[in-house]
Amino acid sequence: MNDGNHGMKRTKPTDRPTPKPVWLLPALLLSALAPQAAAAQLADREGLVDRVVAIVGDSAILLSQVQQHERQLRADGILVPPAGSPESEDFRSGILEGLVNNMLLLQAALEDTLLHVADEQVDDALQRQMASIEARYVSRSAMAQALAAEGMTVQNFREMLRTQIAQGQLVDLYMRSRIGDEAVEVADDEVREAFEANRTTLQPRPATVVFMQIVLAVEASDSARADARDRLAVLRERAEAGEDFAELARTYSDDTRSAQNGGDLGWFRRGTMVDEFEDAAFSLVEGEISDIVETEYGYHLILVELVRFSERKARHILLRPAAGPEQRSQARTLAVGLAERAEAEDFRTLIDEYHDPILPDSGEVVERQISDLLPLAYLAPLTLDEVGKPLGPIQFTTDEGQEAFAVLKVLERKPEGPYTFEEFEPQLRASLADQKRLQLHLDVLRSRTYIDIKGS
């Protein structure tokens, strides 16, 4: 239930699937970028005569890359027209257009010397993806045999996958830093047309439960707050004395998601972080470490690594004061009382009075798949059949160690079924707007890059 971005303003999560990119903008398929050597290796194995199908700047795109991406789409369940059919040429042209766009973005990202992807971040993603792929086989040797049939070793495949991940993360950084949120117009008929075009690719809407909740944080004592500040002051002294800030963040930060990457928050602009965090970060020069910054998430040290116009690239260390038994008991007593009052009083009124606005989904109407409910303490109460009856208190701990209690009220249970246009329209409209912004940026890149498309 927690997004893990301490110091960051949240965006509400969604359980609805992301629509497949429309073929006019297949550049969002960033994972399609594969090293040319691997593509050529596949071509040799299949006895194909490889050839260059496009030149983008100083890079070539091969026919084997288009074919490899086509195979990947087929493996992902996308309906691919049979080779030689009238539709096949248009389909391959769409793939090639996407590979050209991807190459444009990658080249632009590589030229941006201020962008950097941490090796630890790449290695972590590589480990997760390799584990996921290996889990599809009965053994590692079975996976090795399958790769050998494709003309690759496990090590070749691992290196290829690492390159893809590093490139994808670099392009993602580039897109987030360069493609803004300027207003673009998305007409109603465009949204409807995109929905109809993607309708057959949408998985059925899973069974979900809709509920409201009051989430109460277990507040830390004054002594715990003082202890956290003292510990952070020591870490600041160590960093100022020359110890590696990233290693300190990795070892001590309570923001578990950024800690594994040395506290790296990437590039951000004003309007991304909470005010106190931003005020501190944007007052620092490159290489400067902040004083202790207090936000609703805890206490932070901020290191600004790079400054670029209205953006900052920073790392942080977060220490969250720990709650004690007395504070835990007080929060539980309050939650029990709210559950009792909710039997007779208006739940929304209680939410407005008591919910903690900094905790994810507190006070909101939330829709979740039962199978994806987090934390697990929610699972049993929300599988009950009763609708409209207060549930709880539920005691849980967020991913970042914040103790909390929740009181819930189930509003509706939705069975599995196809998505309606009304359910999907907001997400699809936002996706189309993002694609239009991306296309505007691609148009700029195309205007300054040599491109020769020879055909697939």
Coordinates of all heavy atoms in Angstrom, one line a residue, residues 209-253:
V209 N -12.3 -5.5 -5.1 CA -13.1 -5.0 -3.9 C -12.9 -3.5 -3.8 O -11.7 -3.0 -4.0 CB -12.8 -5.7 -2.6 CG1 -11.3 -5.5 -2.3 CG2 -13.6 -5.2 -1.5
V210 N -13.9 -2.7 -3.6 CA -13.9 -1.3 -3.5 C -14.1 -0.9 -2.0 O -15.1 -1.4 -1.4 CB -14.9 -0.6 -4.4 CG1 -14.8 0.9 -4.3 CG2 -14.7 -1.0 -5.8
F211 N -13.2 -0.1 -1.4 CA -13.4 0.2 0.0 C -12.8 1.6 0.3 O -12.1 2.1 -0.4 CB -12.7 -0.9 0.9 CG -11.2 -1.0 0.7 CD1 -10.3 -0.3 1.5 CD2 -10.7 -1.8 -0.3 CE1 -8.9 -0.4 1.3 CE2 -9.3 -1.9 -0.5 CZ -8.4 -1.2 0.3
M212 N -13.3 2.1 1.4 CA -12.7 3.3 2.0 C -12.0 2.9 3.3 O -12.3 1.9 3.9 CB -13.8 4.3 2.4 CG -14.5 5.0 1.2 SD -15.5 6.4 1.7 CE -16.7 5.6 2.7
Q213 N -11.1 3.7 3.7 CA -10.3 3.4 5.0 C -9.8 4.6 5.7 O -9.6 5.6 5.1 CB -9.2 2.4 4.6 CG -8.1 3.0 3.8 CD -7.0 2.1 3.6 OE1 -6.8 1.1 4.3 NE2 -6.1 2.3 2.6
I214 N -9.7 4.4 7.0 CA -9.0 5.4 7.8 C -7.7 4.7 8.2 O -7.7 3.6 8.8 CB -9.8 5.8 9.1 CG1 -11.2 6.3 8.7 CG2 -9.0 6.8 9.9 CD1 -12.1 6.4 9.9
V215 N -6.6 5.4 7.9 CA -5.3 4.8 8.3 C -4.6 5.7 9.3 O -4.5 7.0 9.1 CB -4.3 4.7 7.0 CG1 -3.0 4.0 7.5 CG2 -5.0 3.8 6.0
L216 N -4.3 5.2 10.4 CA -3.7 5.9 11.5 C -2.2 5.5 11.7 O -1.9 4.3 11.9 CB -4.4 5.7 12.8 CG -5.9 6.0 12.8 CD1 -6.5 5.5 14.1 CD2 -6.2 7.5 12.6
A217 N -1.3 6.4 11.6 CA 0.1 6.1 11.8 C 0.4 6.0 13.3 O -0.2 6.8 14.1 CB 1.0 7.2 11.2
V218 N 1.3 5.1 13.6 CA 1.8 5.1 15.0 C 2.9 6.1 15.2 O 3.9 6.0 14.6 CB 2.3 3.7 15.4 CG1 2.8 3.6 16.8 CG2 1.2 2.6 15.1
E219 N 2.6 7.2 15.9 CA 3.5 8.3 16.0 C 4.7 8.0 16.9 O 4.5 7.3 17.9 CB 2.8 9.5 16.5 CG 1.6 10.0 15.6 CD 2.1 10.5 14.2 OE1 3.3 10.8 14.1 OE2 1.3 10.6 13.3
A220 N 5.8 8.5 16.6 CA 7.0 8.3 17.4 C 7.0 9.2 18.6 O 6.4 10.3 18.5 CB 8.3 8.5 16.6
S221 N 7.7 8.9 19.6 CA 7.8 9.7 20.8 C 8.8 10.8 20.6 O 9.6 10.8 19.6 CB 8.2 8.9 22.0 OG 9.5 8.4 21.8
D222 N 8.8 11.8 21.4 CA 9.7 12.9 21.3 C 11.2 12.4 21.4 O 12.1 12.9 20.8 CB 9.5 14.0 22.4 CG 8.2 14.7 22.1 OD1 7.7 14.7 21.0 OD2 7.6 15.4 23.1
S223 N 11.4 11.4 22.4 CA 12.7 10.9 22.6 C 13.2 10.2 21.3 O 14.4 10.2 20.9 CB 12.8 10.0 23.8 OG 11.9 8.9 23.6
A224 N 12.3 9.5 20.6 CA 12.6 8.7 19.4 C 13.0 9.7 18.3 O 13.9 9.5 17.5 CB 11.5 7.8 18.9
R225 N 12.3 10.9 18.2 CA 12.6 11.9 17.2 C 14.0 12.5 17.5 O 14.7 12.7 16.6 CB 11.5 13.0 17.3 CG 10.1 12.5 16.8 CD 9.1 13.7 16.9 NE 7.8 13.2 16.5 CZ 7.4 13.1 15.3 NH1 8.2 13.4 14.3 NH2 6.2 12.7 15.0
A226 N 14.2 12.7 18.8 CA 15.5 13.3 19.1 C 16.7 12.3 18.8 O 17.7 12.7 18.2 CB 15.6 13.7 20.6
D227 N 16.4 11.0 19.0 CA 17.4 10.0 18.7 C 17.7 10.0 17.2 O 18.8 9.8 16.8 CB 16.9 8.7 19.2 CG 17.9 7.5 18.8 OD1 19.0 7.5 19.4 OD2 17.5 6.7 18.0
A228 N 16.6 10.0 16.4 CA 16.8 10.0 14.9 C 17.6 11.2 14.4 O 18.5 11.1 13.6 CB 15.4 10.0 14.3
R229 N 17.3 12.4 15.0 CA 18.1 13.6 14.6 C 19.5 13.4 15.0 O 20.4 13.8 14.2 CB 17.5 14.8 15.3 CG 16.1 15.2 14.7 CD 15.7 16.6 15.3 NE 16.6 17.6 14.9 CZ 16.4 18.4 13.9 NH1 15.4 18.3 13.1 NH2 17.3 19.4 13.6
D230 N 19.8 12.9 16.2 CA 21.2 12.7 16.6 C 21.9 11.7 15.7 O 23.1 12.0 15.4 CB 21.2 12.2 18.1 CG 20.8 13.3 19.1 OD1 20.7 14.5 18.7 OD2 20.4 12.9 20.2
R231 N 21.3 10.6 15.4 CA 21.9 9.6 14.5 C 22.2 10.2 13.1 O 23.2 9.9 12.5 CB 21.1 8.4 14.4 CG 21.1 7.5 15.7 CD 20.3 6.2 15.5 NE 18.9 6.4 15.3 CZ 18.2 6.0 14.3 NH1 18.8 5.4 13.3 NH2 16.9 6.2 14.2
L232 N 21.3 11.0 12.6 CA 21.4 11.6 11.3 C 22.5 12.7 11.3 O 23.3 12.9 10.3 CB 20.1 12.3 10.8 CG 20.0 12.5 9.3 CD1 20.2 11.2 8.5 CD2 18.6 13.1 9.0
A233 N 22.7 13.4 12.4 CA 23.7 14.4 12.6 C 25.1 13.7 12.5 O 26.1 14.2 11.9 CB 23.6 15.1 13.9
V234 N 25.2 12.5 13.1 CA 26.5 11.8 13.0 C 26.7 11.3 11.6 O 27.9 11.4 11.1 CB 26.4 10.5 13.9 CG1 27.6 9.6 13.7 CG2 26.3 11.0 15.4
L235 N 25.7 10.9 10.9 CA 25.9 10.5 9.5 C 26.3 11.7 8.6 O 27.2 11.6 7.7 CB 24.6 9.9 8.9 CG 24.2 8.6 9.5 CD1 22.9 8.1 8.9 CD2 25.3 7.5 9.3
R236 N 25.8 12.9 8.9 CA 26.2 14.1 8.2 C 27.7 14.4 8.4 O 28.4 14.7 7.5 CB 25.3 15.3 8.6 CG 25.6 16.5 7.7 CD 24.7 17.7 8.1 NE 24.8 18.7 7.2 CZ 25.8 19.6 7.1 NH1 26.8 19.5 7.9 NH2 25.8 20.6 6.1
E237 N 28.1 14.3 9.7 CA 29.5 14.5 10.0 C 30.4 13.5 9.2 O 31.5 13.9 8.7 CB 29.8 14.4 11.5 CG 29.1 15.5 12.3 CD 29.3 15.3 13.8 OE1 29.9 14.2 14.1 OE2 28.9 16.1 14.6
R238 N 30.0 12.2 9.1 CA 30.8 11.2 8.4 C 30.8 11.5 6.9 O 31.9 11.4 6.3 CB 30.2 9.8 8.7 CG 30.4 9.4 10.1 CD 29.6 8.1 10.4 NE 30.0 7.0 9.5 CZ 29.5 5.7 9.6 NH1 28.5 5.5 10.5 NH2 29.9 4.8 8.8
A239 N 29.7 12.0 6.4 CA 29.7 12.3 4.9 C 30.6 13.5 4.6 O 31.3 13.6 3.7 CB 28.3 12.5 4.5
E240 N 30.5 14.5 5.5 CA 31.3 15.7 5.3 C 32.8 15.4 5.5 O 33.6 16.1 4.9 CB 30.8 16.8 6.3 CG 29.5 17.4 6.1 CD 29.5 18.4 4.9 OE1 30.5 18.5 4.2 OE2 28.5 19.1 4.7
A241 N 33.1 14.4 6.3 CA 34.5 14.0 6.5 C 35.0 13.2 5.3 O 36.2 12.8 5.3 CB 34.6 13.2 7.8
G242 N 34.2 12.9 4.4 CA 34.7 12.2 3.2 C 34.1 10.8 2.9 O 34.4 10.2 1.9
E243 N 33.3 10.2 3.9 CA 32.7 8.9 3.6 C 31.7 9.0 2.4 O 31.1 10.0 2.2 CB 32.0 8.4 4.9 CG 33.0 7.9 5.9 CD 32.3 7.1 7.0 OE1 31.6 6.1 6.6 OE2 32.5 7.4 8.2
D244 N 31.6 7.9 1.7 CA 30.8 7.8 0.5 C 29.3 8.0 0.9 O 28.8 7.1 1.7 CB 31.0 6.5 -0.2 CG 30.2 6.5 -1.5 OD1 30.3 7.4 -2.3 OD2 29.4 5.5 -1.6
F245 N 28.6 9.0 0.4 CA 27.2 9.3 0.8 C 26.3 8.1 0.3 O 25.4 7.7 1.1 CB 26.8 10.6 0.1 CG 25.4 11.1 0.6 CD1 25.3 12.0 1.7 CD2 24.2 10.6 0.1 CE1 24.1 12.5 2.1 CE2 23.0 11.1 0.5 CZ 22.9 12.0 1.6
A246 N 26.6 7.6 -0.9 CA 25.8 6.5 -1.4 C 25.9 5.3 -0.5 O 24.9 4.6 -0.2 CB 26.2 6.2 -2.8
E247 N 27.1 5.0 0.0 CA 27.2 3.8 0.9 C 26.6 4.0 2.2 O 26.0 3.1 2.8 CB 28.7 3.5 1.1 CG 29.0 2.2 1.7 CD 28.4 1.0 1.0 OE1 28.4 1.0 -0.3 OE2 27.9 0.1 1.6
L248 N 26.6 5.2 2.7 CA 25.9 5.5 4.0 C 24.4 5.4 3.8 O 23.7 4.8 4.7 CB 26.2 7.0 4.4 CG 27.7 7.2 4.9 CD1 27.9 8.7 5.2 CD2 27.9 6.4 6.2
A249 N 23.9 5.8 2.7 CA 22.4 5.7 2.4 C 22.1 4.2 2.2 O 21.1 3.8 2.8 CB 22.1 6.4 1.1
R250 N 22.9 3.5 1.6 CA 22.7 2.0 1.4 C 22.6 1.3 2.7 O 21.8 0.4 2.9 CB 23.8 1.5 0.5 CG 23.4 0.1 -0.2 CD 24.5 -0.3 -1.2 NE 24.4 0.6 -2.4 CZ 25.3 1.4 -2.8 NH1 26.4 1.6 -2.0 NH2 25.2 2.2 -3.8
T251 N 23.4 1.7 3.6 CA 23.5 1.1 4.9 C 22.5 1.5 5.9 O 21.9 0.7 6.7 CB 24.9 1.3 5.5 OG1 25.9 0.8 4.6 CG2 25.1 0.5 6.8
Y252 N 22.2 2.8 6.0 CA 21.4 3.4 7.1 C 20.0 3.9 6.7 O 19.1 4.0 7.6 CB 22.2 4.5 7.7 CG 23.5 4.0 8.4 CD1 24.7 4.3 7.8 CD2 23.4 3.3 9.6 CE1 25.9 3.9 8.4 CE2 24.6 2.9 10.2 CZ 25.9 3.2 9.5 OH 27.0 2.8 10.1
S253 N 19.8 4.2 5.4 CA 18.5 4.9 5.1 C 17.3 4.0 5.3 O 17.3 2.8 5.0 CB 18.5 5.4 3.6 OG 17.3 6.1 3.3

